[in-house]
Amino acid sequence: VNALHRTGLRLEVHALKEPTDVEAAVKRAQGRIFLGGHSAGGRRAFELIAWLAERYTNIAGLIAINPAGTTKIAVPLLTVIGENDGGRRLLPFKEWPHEQDLIHVRR
């Protein structure tokens, strides 16, 4: 978050549960929107993003942390999965290629 502020981006974080509240926030927003969530909230964000992206041009992408299930989406996506939260299965040969690596990018 601090890195985003240093670049001059304006960041607002809203904790919303109901789809109607999320849609209202997207309508009110000025600028591009990244929808996000953690665990079950990440799964819900995956479900909402396709529906919202069809209706609003300000949807820029999705950021999900340890999402409980995923589907393919048509917007840019950053998924963060902890090594001990199932992320190890996504690594080449299910382990870090180099001990000093902290991030693995899969395209």
Side-chain angles (χ1 to χ4, degrees), residues 25-67:
V26 170
K27 283 181 184 178
R28 283 192 313 271
Q30 298 175 7
R32 308 284 284 158
I33 300 292
F34 284 87
L35 194 62
H38 172 260
S39 193
R43 174 64 183 167
R44 189 68 176 132
F46 266 92
E47 294 168 355
L48 286 172
I49 196 81
W51 182 79
L52 289 167
E54 289 177 359
R55 290 161 179 75
Y56 301 96
T57 58
N58 60 337
I59 299 294
L62 173 66
I63 301 171
I65 301 169
N66 290 334

Side-chain angles (χ1 to χ4, degrees), residues 1 6-7 13 17 24 28 30 35 41 48 56-57 59 71 74 81 91-93 97 103 106:
V1 170
R6 276 181 281 207
T7 65
V13 177
K17 182 178 180 181
R28 283 192 313 271
Q30 298 175 7
L35 194 62
L48 286 172
Y56 301 96
T57 58
I59 299 294
T71 57
I81 302 174
L91 296 171
F93 307 109
I103 297 173
R106 193 174 133 185

